[in-house]
Short mmCIF file of all heavy atoms in Angstrom, two decimals:
data_model
loop_
_atom_site.label_atom_id
_atom_site.label_comp_id
_atom_site.label_asym_id
_atom_site.label_seq_id
_atom_site.Cartn_x
_atom_site.Cartn_y
_atom_site.Cartn_z
N MET A 1 -26.63 82.66 -8.55
CA MET A 1 -27.44 81.48 -8.22
C MET A 1 -28.64 81.43 -9.17
O MET A 1 -29.45 82.34 -9.22
CB MET A 1 -27.94 81.58 -6.77
CG MET A 1 -28.73 80.37 -6.32
SD MET A 1 -29.37 80.56 -4.63
CE MET A 1 -27.83 80.62 -3.72
N ASP A 2 -28.75 80.33 -9.95
CA ASP A 2 -29.86 80.24 -10.90
C ASP A 2 -31.14 79.86 -10.18
O ASP A 2 -31.15 79.44 -9.01
CB ASP A 2 -29.53 79.24 -12.00
CG ASP A 2 -29.20 77.86 -11.46
OD1 ASP A 2 -29.52 77.59 -10.28
OD2 ASP A 2 -28.61 77.07 -12.20
N ASP A 3 -32.26 80.03 -10.90
CA ASP A 3 -33.59 79.80 -10.29
C ASP A 3 -33.79 78.35 -9.88
O ASP A 3 -34.40 78.06 -8.85
CB ASP A 3 -34.68 80.21 -11.29
CG ASP A 3 -34.72 81.73 -11.48
OD1 ASP A 3 -34.15 82.43 -10.61
OD2 ASP A 3 -35.30 82.19 -12.47
N GLU A 4 -33.27 77.41 -10.71
CA GLU A 4 -33.46 75.99 -10.42
C GLU A 4 -32.78 75.60 -9.11
O GLU A 4 -33.35 74.88 -8.28
CB GLU A 4 -32.89 75.15 -11.57
CG GLU A 4 -33.20 73.66 -11.47
CD GLU A 4 -34.68 73.36 -11.60
OE1 GLU A 4 -35.40 74.14 -12.26
OE2 GLU A 4 -35.11 72.35 -11.01
N TYR A 5 -31.56 76.07 -8.91
CA TYR A 5 -30.81 75.78 -7.69
C TYR A 5 -31.50 76.39 -6.47
O TYR A 5 -31.59 75.78 -5.40
CB TYR A 5 -29.38 76.32 -7.84
CG TYR A 5 -28.48 76.00 -6.67
CD1 TYR A 5 -28.07 74.69 -6.41
CD2 TYR A 5 -28.03 77.02 -5.82
CE1 TYR A 5 -27.26 74.40 -5.34
CE2 TYR A 5 -27.21 76.74 -4.74
CZ TYR A 5 -26.82 75.42 -4.50
OH TYR A 5 -26.01 75.14 -3.45
N PHE A 6 -31.99 77.62 -6.63
CA PHE A 6 -32.69 78.30 -5.53
C PHE A 6 -33.97 77.55 -5.15
O PHE A 6 -34.30 77.40 -3.96
CB PHE A 6 -33.03 79.73 -5.97
CG PHE A 6 -33.80 80.50 -4.93
CD1 PHE A 6 -33.16 81.00 -3.79
CD2 PHE A 6 -35.17 80.73 -5.09
CE1 PHE A 6 -33.88 81.70 -2.83
CE2 PHE A 6 -35.88 81.42 -4.13
CZ PHE A 6 -35.23 81.92 -3.01
N LYS A 7 -34.70 77.05 -6.16
CA LYS A 7 -35.93 76.30 -5.89
C LYS A 7 -35.63 75.01 -5.13
O LYS A 7 -36.38 74.61 -4.23
CB LYS A 7 -36.64 75.97 -7.20
CG LYS A 7 -37.31 77.19 -7.84
CD LYS A 7 -37.98 76.79 -9.15
CE LYS A 7 -38.66 77.99 -9.81
NZ LYS A 7 -39.31 77.63 -11.10
N ARG A 8 -34.52 74.34 -5.47
CA ARG A 8 -34.15 73.11 -4.78
C ARG A 8 -33.82 73.39 -3.31
O ARG A 8 -34.21 72.63 -2.41
CB ARG A 8 -32.94 72.47 -5.46
CG ARG A 8 -33.28 71.82 -6.80
CD ARG A 8 -32.05 71.15 -7.38
NE ARG A 8 -32.35 70.54 -8.67
CZ ARG A 8 -31.45 69.89 -9.40
NH1 ARG A 8 -30.19 69.81 -8.99
NH2 ARG A 8 -31.79 69.36 -10.57
N ILE A 9 -33.09 74.46 -3.06
CA ILE A 9 -32.74 74.82 -1.69
C ILE A 9 -34.00 75.12 -0.88
O ILE A 9 -34.17 74.66 0.25
CB ILE A 9 -31.77 76.03 -1.67
CG1 ILE A 9 -30.42 75.63 -2.25
CG2 ILE A 9 -31.60 76.56 -0.24
CD1 ILE A 9 -29.42 76.77 -2.32
N MET A 10 -34.91 75.92 -1.47
CA MET A 10 -36.13 76.29 -0.77
C MET A 10 -37.02 75.08 -0.52
O MET A 10 -37.64 74.95 0.54
CB MET A 10 -36.89 77.35 -1.57
CG MET A 10 -36.22 78.71 -1.61
SD MET A 10 -35.90 79.36 0.05
CE MET A 10 -37.57 79.50 0.69
N THR A 11 -37.09 74.18 -1.52
CA THR A 11 -37.89 72.96 -1.37
C THR A 11 -37.35 72.10 -0.24
O THR A 11 -38.11 71.59 0.60
CB THR A 11 -37.90 72.14 -2.67
OG1 THR A 11 -38.42 72.95 -3.73
CG2 THR A 11 -38.76 70.90 -2.52
N THR A 12 -36.02 71.94 -0.21
CA THR A 12 -35.38 71.16 0.86
C THR A 12 -35.61 71.80 2.21
O THR A 12 -35.91 71.11 3.20
CB THR A 12 -33.86 71.03 0.59
OG1 THR A 12 -33.65 70.47 -0.69
CG2 THR A 12 -33.21 70.16 1.66
N LEU A 13 -35.51 73.11 2.28
CA LEU A 13 -35.70 73.83 3.53
C LEU A 13 -37.14 73.68 4.04
O LEU A 13 -37.37 73.42 5.23
CB LEU A 13 -35.38 75.31 3.33
CG LEU A 13 -35.45 76.22 4.57
CD1 LEU A 13 -34.44 75.75 5.62
CD2 LEU A 13 -35.20 77.66 4.20
N VAL A 14 -38.10 73.85 3.14
CA VAL A 14 -39.51 73.68 3.51
C VAL A 14 -39.77 72.25 3.99
O VAL A 14 -40.48 72.02 4.98
CB VAL A 14 -40.42 74.04 2.32
CG1 VAL A 14 -41.87 73.63 2.62
CG2 VAL A 14 -40.35 75.53 2.01
N LEU A 15 -39.19 71.28 3.29
CA LEU A 15 -39.37 69.87 3.66
C LEU A 15 -38.81 69.59 5.05
O LEU A 15 -39.46 68.93 5.88
CB LEU A 15 -38.69 68.97 2.63
CG LEU A 15 -38.80 67.46 2.88
CD1 LEU A 15 -40.25 67.01 2.87
CD2 LEU A 15 -37.99 66.69 1.84
#
Side-chain angles (χ1 to χ4, degrees):
M1 183 183 295
D2 56 17
D3 291 343
E4 188 66 28
Y5 184 68
F6 178 75
K7 287 179 180 179
R8 287 182 181 180
I9 292 178
M10 290 304 298
T11 302
T12 304
L13 184 61
V14 170
L15 180 61

